[in-house]
Amino acid sequence: MSTSTVSATAAAPKKSGGRKKLTLPWIMLIIAGGLALVSLVRLISGANDLTSVGQVSGALSLAVPIGLAGLGGLWAERAGVVNIGLEGMMILGTWFGAWAGYQWGPWTGVMAGIIGGAIGGLLHAIITITFNVNHIVSGVAVNILALGFTQYLSNFTFADAPGGSSKQSPHVEPIYKITVPGLSDWMSDLQAKHWFFVSDLAGVIGGLVTELSLLTIVALLLIPATWWVLWRTTFGLRLRSCGENPIAAESLGVNVYKYKYIAVIVSGGLAGLGGAFLSIVASPIYQEGQTGGRGYIGLAAMIFGNWMPGGMALGAGLFGFIDSLKLRGGATNVHAMLLLIAIVLVLVCAWQLYKKKYLQACISAACAALLFVWYAMTDSVPSQFVDAAPYVTTLLVLALSAQRLRMPKADGMPYRKGQGK
């Protein structure tokens, strides 16, 4: 039997015992159902800014760096390398993006951010692949080194630049943003009517066609591009085989080290691009601590998406939306989200009862009841909870989705060339 036949057979989906894939129709159905639920909560709570054009536009801007970090994590872990160092690679992307951006223009900054993140990815690859160090230990080390390295560099670069300091860079020229004339105004007017679902859909569409950065478009296109490369090309098949069974892949002539290195470097480059987005598009200036844990949240989005691009994009969108709530009517919007989470938990309870998982159903019902009581007895939430909402959401989402996850079989496992002989 030839190598290509064996590879095709190994890649073929099993007819039984597997989990259904999250296809595009299912993704669209989930998005429509979620939008309808948010619309219902908006009508009940009166928090009309939940799905406004500005809210959606802000959510997209916050979701992009999370999604890019998650996409980077997906590349690395599909090749069998756990990349906890995404946060550090994003930090390198923010610094190098701003450093090159304020001197030579924003697109040069974008390329420098990618290179900075890729350098972090290369370091992680050398430590984990060549020297076989524990992936978690290496990732944490990359995060610490990136933070210290950028702080050190800022002291004699940004501190001496006009408008800069040891903790921030000079202003970076923004990347051109586009607005679809006519459609943007129409969607804004339709959203202002506050109709059920229709106005919410208009708010979402309006947010996607108003003040949209060209780099945002590039980032969105990288999601289907990643799916096509990893699931529709021979290169992608070989790379994923390194994360499933590297010994078998090596026996079929795959250079496992090469594919792992490529995957982790690309992973770092994508995380660096997310960092450059923060310092060039989101706020055109580098600031110390700018990533704010988004590398970790991107990793959570990837896990929520079950190591698939579509699911990861949904997770990034969710976390970006929650993060944006505090920017517009923060306490009111987050208070409305208590009701939304309570309704979701009721649905989870019903599903667990259907699956005859009575303990989990009771826990979901109890949490839902507490949230309903909290929502009914208060008009807003403390400002501290508003700031913590993205991180609380991350924990809740991971807790609720943990039972359906299926990571690559060899993810994080040590590998040595020739160990299967």
Side-chain angles (χ1 to χ4, degrees), residues 279-340:
S279 61
I280 296 174
V281 177
S283 58
I285 191 172
Y286 163 81
Q287 293 177 312
E288 190 176 305
Q290 193 168 24
T291 56
R294 288 182 177 86
Y296 300 113
I297 298 177
L299 197 64
M302 179 207 66
I303 295 171
F304 167 78
N306 210 5
W307 288 265
M308 294 293 292
M312 184 281 305
L314 285 178
L318 172 64
F319 297 137
F321 176 73
I322 299 297
D323 200 12
S324 70
L325 291 178
K326 62 185 180 184
L327 301 180
R328 299 173 62 93
T332 302
N333 287 340
V334 175
H335 182 253
M337 292 303 295
L338 296 177
L339 179 60
L340 177 62

Side-chain angles (χ1 to χ4, degrees), residues 131-202:
F131 294 102
N132 218 14
V133 174
N134 181 277
H135 298 190
I136 306 299
V137 173
S138 173
V140 172
V142 169
N143 292 336
I144 296 172
L145 286 171
L147 180 61
F149 183 61
T150 52
Q151 288 175 342
Y152 171 73
L153 290 178
S154 295
N155 287 327
F156 62 87
T157 51
F158 297 150
D160 298 330
S165 71
S166 60
K167 294 185 180 296
Q168 70 176 42
S169 72
H171 184 81
V172 180
E173 181 184 348
I175 289 177
Y176 182 74
K177 296 182 179 181
I178 59 174
T179 297
V180 179
L183 180 60
S184 175
D185 295 334
W186 181 37
M187 291 295 105
S188 182
D189 293 339
L190 193 58
Q191 181 268 321
K193 297 182 183 298
H194 305 310
W195 294 336
F196 174 75
F197 191 79
V198 175
S199 292
D200 302 280
L201 182 61

Side-chain angles (χ1 to χ4, degrees), residues 225-278:
T226 291
W227 173 82
W228 184 80
V229 170
L230 294 185
W231 274 270
R232 286 294 181 270
T233 66
T234 302
F235 169 83
L237 175 61
R238 290 171 178 168
L239 187 146
R240 287 185 293 115
S241 71
C242 297
E244 296 292 341
N245 194 332
I247 296 175
E250 181 187 344
S251 69
L252 296 174
V254 175
N255 188 334
V256 176
Y257 277 11
K258 181 182 80 172
Y259 282 93
K260 283 179 177 286
Y261 260 91
I262 291 173
V264 180
I265 292 172
V266 171
S267 173
L270 288 168
L273 177 59
F277 185 94
L278 285 172

